[in-house]
Amino acid sequence: MNTKIPFFLLSLPWLSVPTLLAAKPTVDFTKDVRPLLSEYCFHCHGPDKKTRKAKLRLDTEAGSLKDFGGYSAIVPGKPGDSELVFRLNSDDKEEIMPPPKTGKVLTPEQKKIIEAWIAQGGKYEEHWSFRPIEKPTLPAKRSSDHPVDRFLEDSLTKEKLTLSPEADRITLLRRLYFDLVGMPPTPAEADRFLKNKSPKAFEQLVDRLLGDERFGERMAVHWLDLVRFADTIGYHSDTFMEVSAYREYVIDAFNENLPYDRFVIENIAGDLIPEASNRQKVASGYNRLLQTTQEGGAQPDEYVTIYQADRVRNFGNVWLAATTGCAQCHDHKYDPLTIKDFYSLAAFFADIKERPVGKRTPNLTLPTAEQEARLKELEAKLAQAEKAEKDRKAQTDGKKKEMLAKLHGLVDKVAYAEPKADSSADSERIFVEDAPPTDATLVDAWKIAQAPDPVFSGKKSIVREGAGNNQHFFWQSKSPYEIATDGDEFFAYVFLDPIDPPKQVMLQFNDGTWEHRAYWGKSLIPYGKE
């Protein structure tokens, strides 16, 4: 609008406000007016700065009331003084709106709707999703006292229509089953209902189906579609992912009639609830229901942003009933959301611990009630066995320390025995030298560790390493040990690797044969006899 129209030109004979109001006494902005403004006006006088003309906005109340130097597009209560009304009805091709080149023309009835709205005050309304919920006034009672029926009958009466006659019982039965459980009744279920002559038979059937597990499954279908539930990842190979527990959570939530506020909290942040239960953690799996990729060449940083944007878009659709996705690239034209709002929302999902690229494995064990009880029973038995083992080990360690103390005391007192020419009748303890006799023939590779290398007795020790069946021995010594009596004792010390111990350690000596041995572990070496 670049020209000022004198107000006396707006007082035209075809503008009769009382007539307009009589034709349509109440005009609803959201239902009747906004669609017209959106279709015919917003392209040139709407939220898009790039296409806006004449610095006029008709998508906001403030813009429609803007003073252009003595005139405004809308003068509340005065359609005859409103520039918008004049332009809609002008005969001048340079002034009429919408411009003829757009090919858009309002019908006389549509023009009257806008005029009547301005006569009523020209008030704008927020979209219904942003307005507080209000309880509507019930229309007058007619044939039914049910609130929904009263609204339906009121609308039908205005259109000079009436309610259809009540359906027969079989039709009602089928409709109810399909609506509540998504499948027809079985012959037995149908027969049960048809034989019930109670005046409350239908209400009883409704209650029974609302308690049927299939009701939750039927209701969950719609919700799972909204939150893009799938058991494959979507991108690339589209491989399987385990998210069935979330589906079961939604089904149970409907069947239990879980309060909506709890449902919202558990879905968005169930894992952040103090001492969250497994069920609440499963509910927060909502945040994992999106396409992911396992493609080898995918860039993790790129997919972090892709996932965040997906979550913000879905959050808007599901929880806000708003298309937040538009604000990913620009300020929203119709909803009060900016591009800054979009990426601020993304911050709420930034702490989700998720691999951006690669296979996601389940990280939560979800046993059944029976399995949970069995697990607790086994855990109690395990704890009892571990305690018994701990007590036994403490007792064994005590005895070991006691025996080692005695043994070390004995070693300190007894010199390493040298071979004796004459044996006595008294029993004797013989300790094997840490190194073999110097005059013996050694078989296999002998590795001798000397102090300060780790040794556990004397100053030397024999180190044995290898795989499979290993042995080393010496023989043909000119100075053999002598065991004089049956009471003599022979000692050797063996220290094993605690991380990878051998399966058997065997000690053998030769008194003319090799049939004298003792071993630790399994009997796997067949040489000799005990």
Side-chain angles (χ1 to χ4, degrees):
M1 298 180 187
N2 296 320
T3 59
K4 177 180 178 181
I5 306 300
F7 278 100
F8 69 87
L9 291 179
L10 298 179
S11 300
L12 302 175
W14 39 262
L15 273 177
S16 175
V17 175
T19 302
L20 292 172
L21 293 178
K24 193 171 183 62
T26 303
V27 177
D28 185 279
F29 174 78
T30 299
K31 179 181 178 182
D32 303 320
V33 180
R34 191 197 297 271
L36 297 179
L37 297 179
S38 177
E39 174 67 21
Y40 296 100
C41 306
F42 284 179
H43 179 73
C44 298
H45 304 294
D48 196 336
K49 296 178 181 179
K50 295 180 180 179
T51 61
R52 190 183 306 150
K53 297 180 180 179
K55 299 181 180 179
L56 171 65
R57 293 189 67 169
L58 292 176
D59 62 310
T60 66
E61 186 169 3
S64 70
L65 300 176
K66 182 179 179 180
D67 186 356
F68 283 91
Y71 67 95
S72 301
I74 294 175
V75 180
K78 299 179 180 181
D81 293 344
S82 301
E83 182 77 1
L84 174 60
V85 175
F86 171 77
R87 289 301 187 100
L88 293 178
N89 294 282
S90 177
D91 294 327
D92 189 334
K93 292 182 179 180
E94 297 298 324
E95 296 177 339
I96 189 171
M97 293 292 161
K101 65 180 180 181
T102 65
K104 295 184 177 182
V105 180
L106 277 80
T107 65
E109 290 76 14
Q110 290 173 328
K111 294 176 183 178
K112 290 179 180 180
I113 290 174
I114 293 176
E115 293 163 11
W117 167 62
I118 295 174
Q120 292 172 186
K123 288 292 184 182
Y124 280 70
E125 293 176 344
E126 282 191 307
H127 189 270
W128 64 265
S129 64
F130 297 107
R131 298 200 301 267
I133 297 175
E134 297 180 355
K135 188 173 184 178
T137 303
L138 284 175
K141 178 182 176 181
R142 292 182 173 84
S143 62
S144 173
D145 190 43
H146 194 284
V148 176
D149 289 344
R150 288 167 68 170
F151 279 105
L152 290 174
E153 285 191 274
D154 186 61
S155 299
L156 292 173
T157 300
K158 293 175 182 177
E159 302 296 333
K160 298 182 179 179
L161 298 172
T162 59
L163 292 171
S164 300
E166 183 174 333
D168 60 83
R169 299 191 79 199
I170 294 179
T171 301
L172 284 175
L173 175 69
R174 285 178 55 82
R175 287 176 181 172
L176 189 62
Y177 263 83
F178 276 114
D179 282 345
L180 295 185
V181 298
M183 58 185 64
T186 64
E189 290 171 332
D191 189 56
R192 178 182 176 184
F193 171 70
L194 295 175
K195 288 182 177 179
N196 187 350
K197 303 304 180 182
S198 168
K200 293 188 176 181
F202 188 77
E203 287 82 356
Q204 292 169 357
L205 178 59
V206 170
D207 291 338
R208 187 164 69 251
L209 293 183
L210 289 176
D212 193 306
E213 186 177 21
R214 294 173 296 176
F215 169 72
E217 295 172 356
R218 169 72 166 165
M219 296 295 292
V221 168
H222 308 292
W223 179 256
L224 295 176
D225 281 345
L226 286 173
V227 298
R228 69 264 195 259
F229 176 89
D231 55 10
T232 58
I233 66 172
Y235 284 132
H236 191 45
S237 55
D238 197 28
T239 53
F240 174 77
M241 66 176 181
E242 180 55 80
V243 289
S244 60
Y246 178 81
R247 178 191 62 218
E248 300 304 314
Y249 165 81
V250 174
I251 292 172
D252 291 342
F254 278 112
N255 281 330
E256 297 169 12
N257 199 21
L258 186 71
Y260 183 68
D261 59 343
R262 281 183 53 197
F263 185 75
V264 173
I265 292 171
E266 291 178 359
N267 269 261
I268 297 176
D271 57 325
L272 300 181
I273 296 173
E275 299 181 3
S277 65
N278 279 348
R279 172 173 163 144
Q280 290 169 328
K281 293 176 182 177
V282 166
S284 67
Y286 155 75
N287 296 289
R288 303 187 74 193
L289 299 178
L290 74 168
Q291 288 181 295
T292 58
T293 184
Q294 297 179 14
E295 185 178 0
Q299 298 300 311
D301 288 346
E302 176 187 8
Y303 276 88
V304 166
T305 59
I306 289 174
Y307 298 161
Q308 284 187 341
D310 179 282
R311 289 182 173 111
V312 172
R313 288 195 300 269
N314 190 262
F315 175 83
N317 292 337
V318 172
W319 306 107
L320 303 182
T323 50
T324 52
C326 296
Q328 183 176 355
C329 302
H330 52 74
D331 290 351
H332 206 299
K333 293 182 179 181
Y334 305 115
D335 290 341
L337 297 166
T338 66
I339 191 170
K340 181 178 180 180
D341 294 331
F342 184 91
Y343 291 98
S344 296
L345 268 174
F348 286 95
F349 302 100
D351 64 343
I352 294 176
K353 302 297 186 295
E354 187 72 273
R355 292 182 63 187
V357 177
K359 186 175 182 180
R360 304 184 306 174
T361 56
N363 56 6
L364 188 62
T365 302
L366 298 171
T368 63
E370 293 78 9
Q371 292 170 336
E372 183 73 28
R374 180 58 176 161
L375 279 172
K376 289 182 179 179
E377 178 184 343
L378 293 175
E379 286 170 355
K381 289 183 177 179
L382 177 61
Q384 184 178 3
E386 288 176 341
K387 183 180 182 303
E389 173 64 15
K390 184 178 180 181
D391 294 343
R392 185 198 64 77
K393 186 176 184 303
Q395 184 179 9
T396 302
D397 288 346
K399 291 182 178 180
K400 178 179 177 181
K401 289 180 180 179
E402 181 182 346
M403 292 177 66
L404 285 174
K406 292 180 179 179
L407 184 60
H408 289 158
L410 182 61
V411 170
D412 292 338
K413 293 179 180 179
V414 180
Y416 288 103
E418 294 293 335
K420 297 182 179 180
D422 299 325
S423 60
S424 66
D426 297 331
S427 63
E428 183 175 73
R429 296 175 185 269
I430 300 175
F431 294 85
V432 176
E433 184 79 38
D434 284 332
T438 56
D439 62 346
T441 300
L442 306 183
V443 179
D444 210 339
W446 286 66
K447 179 180 178 182
I448 308 299
Q450 299 188 19
D453 293 335
V455 292
F456 300 95
S457 64
K459 295 183 179 296
K460 299 179 181 179
S461 65
I462 302 166
V463 180
R464 184 65 188 169
E465 295 177 332
N469 188 352
N470 279 264
Q471 66 175 339
H472 59 270
F473 61 92
F474 66 86
W475 67 326
Q476 296 179 337
S477 173
K478 303 302 183 184
S479 53
Y481 292 114
E482 291 186 5
I483 300 177
T485 67
D486 290 340
D488 289 348
E489 295 177 334
F490 190 87
F491 285 87
Y493 300 93
V494 180
F495 293 85
L496 310 179
D497 183 349
I499 297 177
D500 186 23
K503 293 182 179 179
Q504 179 182 355
V505 175
M506 184 177 74
L507 176 67
Q508 215 171 6
F509 66 90
N510 187 300
D511 64 349
T513 72
W514 289 103
E515 296 184 356
H516 301 278
R517 71 170 186 167
Y519 69 87
W520 170 92
K522 297 181 180 179
S523 180
L524 300 176
I525 304 174
Y527 311 139
K529 299 178 181 178
E530 289 84 350

